[in-house]
Amino acid sequence: MTADAHIPLPTRVHAFGDDVLGDHDAVALAALVRDGELSPGELAAAAAARAGQVEELAAVAYPSYAQPLLPAERTGALYGVPSFVKDNTDVAGMPTNQGTAAFRARPAGAHSGYTRQFLSTGLTVLGKSAMPEFGFNASSETPHLAPTRNPWHTGYSVGGSSGGAAALVAAGVVPIAHGNDGGGSIRIPAACAGLVGLKPTRGRHVVSGLARTLPVDIVSEGVLTRTVRDTAVYTAAAEQYWRNPALPPIGRVDGPPTRRMRIAVVLDNLAGPLAAGPTREAVENVARVLEAGGHSVEPVPLPFDATIERAFLHYWGLLAAAITTTGRFLDRRFDARRVDDLTVGLRALFLRRALHAPLTLYRLRAAAATYEQALGPYDAVLLPTLGHTTPELGYLSPTVPFDELIDRLRAYVCFTPINNITGTPAVTVPAGLTDAGLPVGVQFAATRGNERTLLELAYLVEAERPFPRLDR
């Protein structure tokens, strides 16, 4: 089935069934492979068949089902589990198109550094997942392709920029998929699709690709999963490949915290108090779970004002200007005239204030100290992932007039960028459903290097408020 506008789409779509994948998470599938009950090839074939059942989600940017990238060795905690890599990360033999129509990429000649770390966990790669152009948008919509749809309701956005990954995991095609997060791009689609999405500390993983050249590295690599243990096991496995000696080790996290924690709760964004509704209720409900578990919960304000929002938006524009200026380094056939209107608008926004770039970089770099001073005394911070629930497709389309789209994005993505700016970790977990049946996510954030605490708190929420699933 295609996403043809003349063919009505079902409201809810998934591929869960009684094949070898069942409703298992990645850890369970890896155990079946280790025990000899299943092979990586069988799992890859089943995932490819499931992908074919949900093509209307438009979640796959490049399929490699006939030649999946199978693990070279029978090693890794997730050996044989099928997955996808986001379309902005090089996998040898597959094109990296960055979600844009400005060029058509040839197959990459080699894996990126992070891809090698990803593969070290034993995952099988079936192809590339869809994303918006250069990862700039918080919805996976482009003017040249069908939008990536939310499997919980195909008329709604699944978030961005790791939207294809989120759709594939939520719909049951694979239990785990790669994503990266430069302003919320793992956590936003996790919230929209009812998934777990961890943005690690800056420097936690191998840094590769464009991230190496950023004046302020805001990008973190990770995965989207349906269970906390999949994220925890992946994180520990990736750490076995390479660990930054400047950060405390995470190790294997197996359950909720055993110590009493002091948790800050944020319910105000830079524009003021969060309005009553599903998003605020989700945070308040999780706060009650924490209190019931014996943890101290204290309301606190965000330690920033609108200056940091303007700095991030200006930096966002700087990245758009840099890509459109140097795009031929991505591909010699790059045609800047074919980028979408959001990229064009961001570039123009930066150029109007280009002389302020040094001040922008100073403000972004100084934010880490402000964050540490205000939130360092707490074990973690509980806050919304998004300013409101996921919108219908088209609301955040790059075809919306730029000024209107930016206003919408600022209201929507008002909580996630802080942790990209400061380099601190944060994890989104599911926290219920709206009356329309769409997932709502909340996030826990911490100071640098404290991913272990975040995973423990995610386990607590999962145990006390089991995550909703499409197949149940």
Side-chain angles (χ1 to χ4, degrees), residues 188-250:
I188 293 167
C192 295
L195 302 175
V196 179
L198 172 67
K199 183 209 92 66
T201 299
R202 180 183 294 145
R204 176 62 78 182
H205 49 77
V206 174
V207 179
S208 58
L210 293 174
R212 289 197 308 259
T213 67
L214 295 179
V216 177
D217 184 6
I218 58 173
V219 180
S220 289
E221 306 284 348
V223 291
L224 294 98
T225 67
R226 295 191 295 266
T227 65
V228 177
R229 75 169 182 172
D230 275 0
T231 294
V233 168
Y234 173 84
T235 300
E239 192 174 55
Q240 291 296 310
Y241 176 84
W242 180 82
R243 183 176 76 80
N244 186 339
L247 294 172
I250 301 170

Short mmCIF file of all heavy atoms in Angstrom, two decimals, residues 188-250:
data_model
loop_
_atom_site.label_atom_id
_atom_site.label_comp_id
_atom_site.label_asym_id
_atom_site.label_seq_id
_atom_site.Cartn_x
_atom_site.Cartn_y
_atom_site.Cartn_z
N ILE A 188 12.31 13.67 20.66
CA ILE A 188 11.04 14.12 20.10
C ILE A 188 10.28 12.97 19.45
O ILE A 188 9.12 12.72 19.78
CB ILE A 188 11.26 15.28 19.11
CG1 ILE A 188 11.77 16.52 19.84
CG2 ILE A 188 9.98 15.60 18.34
CD1 ILE A 188 12.32 17.60 18.93
N PRO A 189 10.89 12.23 18.49
CA PRO A 189 10.13 11.11 17.91
C PRO A 189 9.84 10.00 18.91
O PRO A 189 8.81 9.32 18.79
CB PRO A 189 11.03 10.62 16.77
CG PRO A 189 12.37 11.18 17.04
CD PRO A 189 12.16 12.46 17.79
N ALA A 190 10.70 9.83 19.91
CA ALA A 190 10.39 8.85 20.96
C ALA A 190 9.10 9.24 21.67
O ALA A 190 8.24 8.39 21.94
CB ALA A 190 11.55 8.75 21.95
N ALA A 191 8.95 10.53 21.99
CA ALA A 191 7.73 10.99 22.64
C ALA A 191 6.51 10.81 21.74
O ALA A 191 5.43 10.41 22.21
CB ALA A 191 7.87 12.46 23.03
N CYS A 192 6.66 11.10 20.46
CA CYS A 192 5.54 11.00 19.52
C CYS A 192 5.10 9.56 19.28
O CYS A 192 3.93 9.31 18.96
CB CYS A 192 5.91 11.64 18.18
SG CYS A 192 6.21 13.41 18.25
N ALA A 193 6.03 8.62 19.39
CA ALA A 193 5.76 7.23 19.01
C ALA A 193 5.70 6.27 20.19
O ALA A 193 5.60 5.06 20.01
CB ALA A 193 6.82 6.75 18.02
N GLY A 194 5.77 6.79 21.43
CA GLY A 194 5.66 5.93 22.59
C GLY A 194 6.87 5.06 22.82
O GLY A 194 6.75 3.89 23.18
N LEU A 195 8.07 5.64 22.66
CA LEU A 195 9.32 4.89 22.74
C LEU A 195 10.25 5.46 23.81
O LEU A 195 10.01 6.54 24.35
CB LEU A 195 10.03 4.91 21.39
CG LEU A 195 9.24 4.36 20.19
CD1 LEU A 195 10.03 4.56 18.91
CD2 LEU A 195 8.88 2.89 20.40
N VAL A 196 11.32 4.73 24.05
CA VAL A 196 12.41 5.18 24.90
C VAL A 196 13.49 5.76 24.00
O VAL A 196 13.89 5.15 23.01
CB VAL A 196 12.99 4.01 25.72
CG1 VAL A 196 14.15 4.48 26.59
CG2 VAL A 196 11.90 3.36 26.56
N GLY A 197 13.97 6.97 24.33
CA GLY A 197 15.00 7.61 23.53
C GLY A 197 16.00 8.33 24.40
O GLY A 197 15.68 9.33 25.03
N LEU A 198 17.23 7.81 24.47
CA LEU A 198 18.29 8.39 25.29
C LEU A 198 19.23 9.24 24.45
O LEU A 198 19.80 8.75 23.47
CB LEU A 198 19.09 7.28 25.98
CG LEU A 198 20.36 7.72 26.73
CD1 LEU A 198 20.00 8.57 27.96
CD2 LEU A 198 21.19 6.50 27.15
N LYS A 199 19.38 10.52 24.82
CA LYS A 199 20.43 11.37 24.26
C LYS A 199 21.60 11.35 25.24
O LYS A 199 21.51 11.87 26.34
CB LYS A 199 19.94 12.81 24.09
CG LYS A 199 20.99 13.72 23.44
CD LYS A 199 20.88 15.17 23.88
CE LYS A 199 21.74 15.50 25.05
NZ LYS A 199 23.21 15.42 24.80
N PRO A 200 22.72 10.76 24.84
CA PRO A 200 23.85 10.66 25.79
C PRO A 200 24.58 11.98 25.99
O PRO A 200 24.36 12.97 25.28
CB PRO A 200 24.77 9.63 25.12
CG PRO A 200 23.94 8.95 24.08
CD PRO A 200 22.95 9.97 23.64
N THR A 201 25.46 11.97 26.96
CA THR A 201 26.35 13.09 27.23
C THR A 201 27.25 13.37 26.02
O THR A 201 27.66 12.45 25.32
CB THR A 201 27.24 12.76 28.45
OG1 THR A 201 26.41 12.56 29.59
CG2 THR A 201 28.24 13.87 28.74
N ARG A 202 27.53 14.65 25.79
CA ARG A 202 28.49 15.01 24.75
C ARG A 202 29.82 14.26 24.97
O ARG A 202 30.36 14.27 26.06
CB ARG A 202 28.74 16.51 24.77
CG ARG A 202 29.74 17.01 23.72
CD ARG A 202 29.97 18.50 23.88
NE ARG A 202 28.76 19.25 23.59
CZ ARG A 202 28.40 20.37 24.22
NH1 ARG A 202 29.13 20.85 25.20
NH2 ARG A 202 27.29 20.99 23.88
N GLY A 203 30.30 13.60 23.92
CA GLY A 203 31.55 12.87 24.01
C GLY A 203 31.41 11.44 24.50
O GLY A 203 32.40 10.72 24.62
N ARG A 204 30.18 11.00 24.75
CA ARG A 204 29.97 9.64 25.26
C ARG A 204 30.28 8.59 24.20
O ARG A 204 30.67 7.46 24.51
CB ARG A 204 28.54 9.50 25.76
CG ARG A 204 28.13 8.13 26.24
CD ARG A 204 28.95 7.67 27.43
NE ARG A 204 28.51 8.29 28.68
CZ ARG A 204 29.10 8.06 29.86
NH1 ARG A 204 30.15 7.25 29.93
NH2 ARG A 204 28.67 8.67 30.95
N HIS A 205 30.09 8.90 22.94
CA HIS A 205 30.26 7.94 21.86
C HIS A 205 31.34 8.42 20.90
O HIS A 205 31.85 9.55 20.99
CB HIS A 205 28.93 7.80 21.09
CG HIS A 205 28.35 9.14 20.72
ND1 HIS A 205 28.84 9.91 19.68
CD2 HIS A 205 27.36 9.86 21.28
CE1 HIS A 205 28.16 11.03 19.62
NE2 HIS A 205 27.25 11.04 20.58
N VAL A 206 31.67 7.59 19.94
CA VAL A 206 32.61 7.97 18.89
C VAL A 206 31.99 9.11 18.08
O VAL A 206 30.85 9.01 17.62
CB VAL A 206 32.93 6.78 17.97
CG1 VAL A 206 33.79 7.23 16.79
CG2 VAL A 206 33.63 5.67 18.74
N VAL A 207 32.71 10.19 17.91
CA VAL A 207 32.23 11.34 17.15
C VAL A 207 32.73 11.22 15.71
O VAL A 207 33.93 11.02 15.48
CB VAL A 207 32.70 12.67 17.77
CG1 VAL A 207 32.21 13.86 16.94
CG2 VAL A 207 32.20 12.78 19.20
N SER A 208 31.84 11.33 14.76
CA SER A 208 32.23 11.17 13.36
C SER A 208 31.40 12.08 12.49
O SER A 208 30.45 12.73 12.95
CB SER A 208 32.05 9.71 12.92
OG SER A 208 30.72 9.28 13.10
N GLY A 209 31.75 12.15 11.21
CA GLY A 209 30.98 12.93 10.26
C GLY A 209 31.06 14.42 10.53
O GLY A 209 32.05 14.95 11.04
N LEU A 210 29.95 15.12 10.23
CA LEU A 210 29.91 16.57 10.36
C LEU A 210 30.07 17.04 11.80
O LEU A 210 30.52 18.15 12.05
CB LEU A 210 28.60 17.11 9.79
CG LEU A 210 28.40 16.96 8.27
CD1 LEU A 210 27.00 17.41 7.88
CD2 LEU A 210 29.45 17.75 7.51
N ALA A 211 29.70 16.19 12.76
CA ALA A 211 29.77 16.59 14.17
C ALA A 211 31.19 16.98 14.57
O ALA A 211 31.39 17.81 15.46
CB ALA A 211 29.25 15.48 15.06
N ARG A 212 32.20 16.38 13.92
CA ARG A 212 33.60 16.67 14.27
C ARG A 212 33.96 18.11 13.95
O ARG A 212 34.92 18.65 14.51
CB ARG A 212 34.54 15.75 13.49
CG ARG A 212 34.53 14.30 13.94
CD ARG A 212 35.76 13.59 13.41
NE ARG A 212 35.91 13.76 11.98
CZ ARG A 212 35.57 12.84 11.08
NH1 ARG A 212 35.06 11.70 11.47
NH2 ARG A 212 35.74 13.06 9.80
N THR A 213 33.24 18.73 13.04
CA THR A 213 33.60 20.06 12.57
C THR A 213 32.79 21.17 13.24
O THR A 213 33.03 22.34 12.98
CB THR A 213 33.40 20.16 11.05
OG1 THR A 213 32.00 20.06 10.74
CG2 THR A 213 34.13 19.04 10.32
N LEU A 214 31.83 20.83 14.08
CA LEU A 214 30.95 21.85 14.66
C LEU A 214 31.68 22.70 15.69
O LEU A 214 32.40 22.16 16.54
CB LEU A 214 29.75 21.18 15.33
CG LEU A 214 28.79 20.42 14.43
CD1 LEU A 214 27.68 19.79 15.26
CD2 LEU A 214 28.20 21.32 13.36
N PRO A 215 31.48 24.02 15.67
CA PRO A 215 32.10 24.87 16.70
C PRO A 215 31.56 24.59 18.10
O PRO A 215 32.26 24.74 19.09
CB PRO A 215 31.77 26.29 16.24
CG PRO A 215 30.63 26.15 15.28
CD PRO A 215 30.78 24.81 14.65
N VAL A 216 30.29 24.18 18.18
CA VAL A 216 29.71 23.66 19.42
C VAL A 216 29.02 22.36 19.03
O VAL A 216 28.04 22.36 18.28
CB VAL A 216 28.68 24.63 20.04
CG1 VAL A 216 28.05 24.00 21.29
CG2 VAL A 216 29.31 25.96 20.37
N ASP A 217 29.56 21.24 19.50
CA ASP A 217 29.01 19.95 19.11
C ASP A 217 27.73 19.69 19.89
O ASP A 217 27.75 19.38 21.08
CB ASP A 217 30.03 18.83 19.37
CG ASP A 217 29.52 17.47 18.88
OD1 ASP A 217 28.45 17.43 18.26
OD2 ASP A 217 30.20 16.46 19.14
N ILE A 218 26.60 19.79 19.21
CA ILE A 218 25.31 19.61 19.85
C ILE A 218 24.71 18.23 19.57
O ILE A 218 23.64 17.91 20.06
CB ILE A 218 24.31 20.70 19.40
CG1 ILE A 218 24.14 20.68 17.88
CG2 ILE A 218 24.73 22.07 19.89
CD1 ILE A 218 23.05 21.60 17.37
N VAL A 219 25.41 17.40 18.79
CA VAL A 219 24.84 16.14 18.29
C VAL A 219 25.28 14.96 19.15
O VAL A 219 26.47 14.79 19.42
CB VAL A 219 25.23 15.90 16.83
CG1 VAL A 219 24.63 14.58 16.33
CG2 VAL A 219 24.78 17.06 15.94
N SER A 220 24.32 14.14 19.55
CA SER A 220 24.60 12.89 20.25
C SER A 220 23.98 11.74 19.46
O SER A 220 22.90 11.89 18.88
CB SER A 220 24.03 12.90 21.66
OG SER A 220 24.75 13.77 22.50
N GLU A 221 24.65 10.60 19.48
CA GLU A 221 24.18 9.41 18.78
C GLU A 221 23.52 8.46 19.77
O GLU A 221 23.87 8.43 20.96
CB GLU A 221 25.35 8.69 18.10
CG GLU A 221 26.18 9.55 17.17
CD GLU A 221 25.51 9.82 15.84
OE1 GLU A 221 24.49 9.16 15.53
OE2 GLU A 221 25.99 10.69 15.10
N GLY A 222 22.57 7.66 19.29
CA GLY A 222 21.93 6.71 20.17
C GLY A 222 20.93 5.84 19.44
O GLY A 222 21.04 5.64 18.22
N VAL A 223 19.94 5.34 20.17
CA VAL A 223 18.94 4.44 19.60
C VAL A 223 17.56 4.78 20.15
O VAL A 223 17.42 5.44 21.18
CB VAL A 223 19.27 2.97 19.92
CG1 VAL A 223 20.51 2.51 19.17
CG2 VAL A 223 19.42 2.73 21.42
N LEU A 224 16.55 4.30 19.43
CA LEU A 224 15.17 4.34 19.89
C LEU A 224 14.70 2.90 20.09
O LEU A 224 14.97 2.04 19.24
CB LEU A 224 14.27 5.05 18.89
CG LEU A 224 14.57 6.55 18.71
CD1 LEU A 224 15.44 6.78 17.49
CD2 LEU A 224 13.28 7.35 18.60
N THR A 225 14.02 2.64 21.19
CA THR A 225 13.62 1.28 21.54
C THR A 225 12.22 1.28 22.16
O THR A 225 11.70 2.33 22.54
CB THR A 225 14.60 0.65 22.55
OG1 THR A 225 14.50 1.36 23.80
CG2 THR A 225 16.04 0.72 22.06
N ARG A 226 11.66 0.07 22.32
CA ARG A 226 10.36 -0.05 22.97
C ARG A 226 10.48 -0.36 24.45
O ARG A 226 9.49 -0.26 25.19
CB ARG A 226 9.53 -1.15 22.28
CG ARG A 226 9.15 -0.84 20.84
CD ARG A 226 8.11 -1.81 20.31
NE ARG A 226 8.58 -3.17 20.22
CZ ARG A 226 9.11 -3.73 19.14
NH1 ARG A 226 9.27 -3.00 18.03
NH2 ARG A 226 9.51 -4.97 19.15
N THR A 227 11.67 -0.79 24.90
CA THR A 227 11.87 -1.12 26.31
C THR A 227 13.12 -0.43 26.84
O THR A 227 14.07 -0.18 26.10
CB THR A 227 12.02 -2.64 26.51
OG1 THR A 227 13.23 -3.09 25.87
CG2 THR A 227 10.82 -3.39 25.96
N VAL A 228 13.12 -0.15 28.13
CA VAL A 228 14.28 0.46 28.75
C VAL A 228 15.48 -0.47 28.69
O VAL A 228 16.61 -0.04 28.46
CB VAL A 228 13.97 0.87 30.22
CG1 VAL A 228 15.22 1.44 30.88
CG2 VAL A 228 12.83 1.87 30.26
N ARG A 229 15.24 -1.78 28.89
CA ARG A 229 16.39 -2.68 28.91
C ARG A 229 17.10 -2.73 27.56
O ARG A 229 18.32 -2.90 27.52
CB ARG A 229 15.99 -4.07 29.39
CG ARG A 229 15.24 -4.94 28.40
CD ARG A 229 15.16 -6.37 28.91
NE ARG A 229 14.48 -7.26 27.96
CZ ARG A 229 14.43 -8.58 28.10
NH1 ARG A 229 14.99 -9.16 29.15
NH2 ARG A 229 13.80 -9.32 27.21
N ASP A 230 16.39 -2.56 26.45
CA ASP A 230 17.07 -2.53 25.16
C ASP A 230 18.02 -1.34 25.08
O ASP A 230 19.15 -1.45 24.59
CB ASP A 230 16.05 -2.45 24.02
CG ASP A 230 15.53 -3.81 23.60
OD1 ASP A 230 15.97 -4.83 24.19
OD2 ASP A 230 14.69 -3.86 22.68
N THR A 231 17.55 -0.17 25.53
CA THR A 231 18.42 1.00 25.54
C THR A 231 19.60 0.79 26.48
O THR A 231 20.75 1.14 26.16
CB THR A 231 17.63 2.25 25.94
OG1 THR A 231 16.67 2.54 24.92
CG2 THR A 231 18.54 3.47 26.09
N ALA A 232 19.36 0.22 27.65
CA ALA A 232 20.42 -0.01 28.63
C ALA A 232 21.45 -1.00 28.11
O ALA A 232 22.67 -0.79 28.26
CB ALA A 232 19.81 -0.51 29.94
N VAL A 233 20.99 -2.09 27.51
CA VAL A 233 21.92 -3.10 26.99
C VAL A 233 22.72 -2.55 25.81
O VAL A 233 23.93 -2.77 25.70
CB VAL A 233 21.16 -4.39 26.60
CG1 VAL A 233 22.05 -5.34 25.80
CG2 VAL A 233 20.65 -5.08 27.86
N TYR A 234 22.04 -1.82 24.92
CA TYR A 234 22.77 -1.20 23.81
C TYR A 234 23.84 -0.25 24.33
O TYR A 234 24.99 -0.25 23.85
CB TYR A 234 21.83 -0.44 22.87
CG TYR A 234 22.61 0.32 21.83
CD1 TYR A 234 23.04 -0.31 20.67
CD2 TYR A 234 22.97 1.65 22.03
CE1 TYR A 234 23.82 0.37 19.74
CE2 TYR A 234 23.75 2.33 21.11
CZ TYR A 234 24.17 1.68 19.96
OH TYR A 234 24.96 2.34 19.05
N THR A 235 23.49 0.58 25.30
CA THR A 235 24.43 1.56 25.84
C THR A 235 25.66 0.88 26.44
O THR A 235 26.80 1.30 26.20
CB THR A 235 23.72 2.42 26.90
OG1 THR A 235 22.62 3.10 26.29
CG2 THR A 235 24.66 3.45 27.52
N ALA A 236 25.44 -0.18 27.19
CA ALA A 236 26.56 -0.92 27.79
C ALA A 236 27.40 -1.59 26.72
O ALA A 236 28.64 -1.62 26.80
CB ALA A 236 26.03 -1.95 28.78
N ALA A 237 26.75 -2.14 25.69
CA ALA A 237 27.49 -2.81 24.62
C ALA A 237 28.33 -1.83 23.81
O ALA A 237 29.48 -2.12 23.45
CB ALA A 237 26.51 -3.55 23.71
N ALA A 238 27.77 -0.66 23.51
CA ALA A 238 28.53 0.35 22.78
C ALA A 238 29.73 0.81 23.59
O ALA A 238 30.80 1.11 23.03
CB ALA A 238 27.62 1.53 22.43
N GLU A 239 29.57 0.86 24.90
CA GLU A 239 30.66 1.28 25.78
C GLU A 239 31.80 0.25 25.77
O GLU A 239 32.96 0.60 26.01
CB GLU A 239 30.11 1.47 27.19
CG GLU A 239 31.04 2.16 28.15
CD GLU A 239 30.37 2.44 29.48
OE1 GLU A 239 29.86 1.48 30.11
OE2 GLU A 239 30.33 3.61 29.89
N GLN A 240 31.49 -1.00 25.50
CA GLN A 240 32.52 -2.02 25.41
C GLN A 240 33.44 -1.78 24.21
O GLN A 240 34.61 -2.15 24.23
CB GLN A 240 31.88 -3.41 25.30
CG GLN A 240 31.18 -3.87 26.57
CD GLN A 240 32.13 -4.05 27.73
OE1 GLN A 240 33.17 -4.70 27.60
NE2 GLN A 240 31.79 -3.45 28.86
N TYR A 241 32.90 -1.17 23.17
CA TYR A 241 33.70 -0.87 21.97
C TYR A 241 34.62 0.31 22.23
O TYR A 241 35.81 0.27 21.87
CB TYR A 241 32.75 -0.57 20.80
CG TYR A 241 33.45 -0.15 19.54
CD1 TYR A 241 33.95 -1.11 18.65
CD2 TYR A 241 33.60 1.19 19.20
CE1 TYR A 241 34.59 -0.74 17.48
CE2 TYR A 241 34.24 1.57 18.03
CZ TYR A 241 34.73 0.61 17.18
OH TYR A 241 35.36 0.98 16.01
N TRP A 242 34.09 1.37 22.83
CA TRP A 242 34.89 2.56 23.13
C TRP A 242 34.24 3.32 24.26
O TRP A 242 33.02 3.50 24.28
CB TRP A 242 34.99 3.47 21.90
CG TRP A 242 35.82 4.70 22.18
CD1 TRP A 242 37.17 4.79 22.15
CD2 TRP A 242 35.33 6.02 22.52
NE1 TRP A 242 37.57 6.09 22.45
CE2 TRP A 242 36.46 6.85 22.68
CE3 TRP A 242 34.06 6.56 22.70
CZ2 TRP A 242 36.35 8.20 23.02
CZ3 TRP A 242 33.93 7.89 23.04
CH2 TRP A 242 35.08 8.70 23.19
N ARG A 243 35.06 3.75 25.21
CA ARG A 243 34.56 4.57 26.31
C ARG A 243 35.43 5.79 26.48
O ARG A 243 36.66 5.69 26.47
CB ARG A 243 34.54 3.77 27.63
CG ARG A 243 33.95 4.57 28.78
CD ARG A 243 33.85 3.76 30.05
NE ARG A 243 35.14 3.58 30.72
CZ ARG A 243 35.71 4.51 31.49
NH1 ARG A 243 35.15 5.69 31.66
NH2 ARG A 243 36.86 4.25 32.07
N ASN A 244 34.80 6.94 26.61
CA ASN A 244 35.51 8.18 26.82
C ASN A 244 36.07 8.19 28.24
O ASN A 244 35.29 8.19 29.21
CB ASN A 244 34.55 9.36 26.62
CG ASN A 244 35.24 10.71 26.67
OD1 ASN A 244 36.34 10.84 27.22
ND2 ASN A 244 34.60 11.72 26.11
N PRO A 245 37.39 8.19 28.41
CA PRO A 245 37.96 8.14 29.76
C PRO A 245 37.67 9.39 30.59
O PRO A 245 37.85 9.37 31.81
CB PRO A 245 39.46 7.98 29.50
CG PRO A 245 39.67 8.55 28.13
CD PRO A 245 38.43 8.23 27.36
N ALA A 246 37.20 10.46 29.93
CA ALA A 246 36.87 11.68 30.68
C ALA A 246 35.49 11.61 31.34
O ALA A 246 35.13 12.51 32.11
CB ALA A 246 36.93 12.88 29.75
N LEU A 247 34.72 10.56 31.04
CA LEU A 247 33.38 10.41 31.60
C LEU A 247 33.31 9.16 32.47
O LEU A 247 33.98 8.17 32.18
CB LEU A 247 32.34 10.30 30.47
CG LEU A 247 32.15 11.53 29.58
CD1 LEU A 247 31.24 11.20 28.41
CD2 LEU A 247 31.57 12.69 30.39
N PRO A 248 32.49 9.19 33.51
CA PRO A 248 32.33 7.98 34.33
C PRO A 248 31.68 6.87 33.51
O PRO A 248 30.81 7.14 32.67
CB PRO A 248 31.42 8.43 35.48
CG PRO A 248 30.70 9.62 34.94
CD PRO A 248 31.65 10.30 34.00
N PRO A 249 32.07 5.62 33.72
CA PRO A 249 31.45 4.53 32.97
C PRO A 249 29.98 4.38 33.36
O PRO A 249 29.58 4.70 34.47
CB PRO A 249 32.26 3.30 33.40
CG PRO A 249 32.84 3.66 34.73
CD PRO A 249 33.09 5.13 34.67
N ILE A 250 29.19 3.89 32.41
CA ILE A 250 27.77 3.63 32.67
C ILE A 250 27.59 2.19 33.13
O ILE A 250 26.95 1.91 34.14
CB ILE A 250 26.92 3.89 31.42
CG1 ILE A 250 27.07 5.34 30.95
CG2 ILE A 250 25.45 3.59 31.70
CD1 ILE A 250 26.44 5.61 29.61
#
